[in-house]
Amino acid sequence: MDLLKKRIVEDGTVLPGNVLKVDNFLNHQVDSQLMDKIGVEFARLFKNEKITKVVTVESSGIAPALTTAIHLGVPLIFARKHKSLTLTDNLYTASVYSYTKQVSNDISVDKRFLNAGDRILIIDDFLANGQAVQGLLEIAKLANVSVAGIGIVIEKSFQKGHTLIEKSGVRLESLARIASLSDGKVTFVD
Ligand code: 5GP
């Protein structure tokens, strides 16, 4: 998606540890117009997949997942990272190691929101080592729902996540694929 790549080059900052900071359009301030176009693109890519729900992890996945859900005309579910008083024990839970925060978190989805017969599309902002997506795939398995595919806004193709998902056989669509962040410079796969 050329518009997204252009924005990454213009506004992205490369931080130590192969972290790309894009907090002025994706991770803190959100460019709502760009998010809408991202939703249109994911909806176009997955329109024939009979998706019943879009699933992501809070918080950075919510913006692109919501616009995708709007354009597919289905609900959005975001897995929650913190147990709250309003979350009951009736949960599907997986443990996820966070790439940027370097801690493990449980992520949970209330059992009421995933039902046998659902066909989900997983959306996330970044793919690095694939831990977040792996956690969502685990929850999908626990809930006995089928996974139509995975949509990633920015994939760091030089890290482990891409290969991990490829091995799982689930369809992966990434809108921007980064080959390298060496020397503070963003190089795309194509
Ligand atoms: P993974 O679980 O694939 O290792 O990492 C994915 C999660 O870590 C994403 O949901 C995202 O929040 C965060 N993440 C991984 N790499 C980056 C990065 O380079 N920049 C930002 N802003 N977040 C990242």
Side-chain angles (χ1 to χ4, degrees):
M1 189 176 174
D2 289 342
L3 190 67
L4 173 64
K5 288 186 188 172
K6 187 166 170 275
R7 197 63 188 273
I8 292 169
V9 170
E10 280 171 6
D11 289 341
T13 316
V14 180
L15 301 181
N18 280 323
V19 171
L20 178 67
K21 187 172 177 177
V22 284
D23 65 351
N24 72 338
F25 68 91
L26 182 58
N27 291 139
H28 192 12
Q29 173 171 256
V30 176
D31 181 333
S32 52
Q33 302 299 308
L34 178 63
M35 253 0 87
D36 187 57
K37 292 188 173 85
I38 284 170
V40 167
E41 181 61 4
F42 280 136
R44 185 187 70 77
L45 288 165
F46 289 100
K47 68 174 185 295
N48 295 327
E49 291 284 354
K50 298 190 168 62
I51 287 152
T52 61
K53 280 161 192 169
V54 172
V55 179
T56 189
V57 186
E58 67 175 354
S59 56
S60 296
I62 294 177
L66 178 61
T67 56
T68 303
I70 290 170
H71 290 288
L72 285 171
V74 299
L76 158 71
I77 299 164
F78 58 91
R80 301 183 67 165
K81 285 180 181 159
H82 306 284
K83 293 228 164 94
S84 80
L85 291 176
T86 54
L87 270 185
T88 64
D89 283 339
N90 214 17
L91 306 171
Y92 296 118
T93 299
S95 178
V96 169
Y97 181 79
S98 162
Y99 183 85
T100 46
K101 301 198 177 77
Q102 306 198 337
V103 291
S104 281
N105 275 312
D106 277 353
I107 60 166
S108 305
V109 172
D110 194 303
K111 288 184 178 172
R112 285 177 301 144
F113 301 131
L114 286 175
N115 313 111
D118 270 328
R119 183 160 167 79
I120 66 166
L121 171 62
I122 293 173
I123 296 285
D124 206 3
D125 60 338
F126 271 90
L127 178 64
N129 289 323
Q131 298 302 296
V133 166
Q134 194 86 339
L136 291 174
L137 288 172
E138 225 173 288
I139 285 177
K141 203 168 172 190
L142 290 171
N144 204 18
V145 300
S146 70
V147 181
I150 298 163
I152 298 291
V153 180
I154 303 175
E155 174 188 306
K156 294 187 291 182
S157 308
F158 56 93
Q159 293 178 322
K160 291 186 196 138
H162 182 94
T163 313
L164 203 75
I165 293 174
E166 224 169 36
K167 278 190 190 143
S168 79
V170 180
R171 178 179 170 195
L172 170 65
E173 298 283 353
S174 301
L175 301 186
R177 299 189 63 205
I178 293 175
S180 156
L181 291 173
S182 298
D183 304 322
K185 195 174 162 288
V186 182
T187 311
F188 293 102
V189 170
D190 31 48

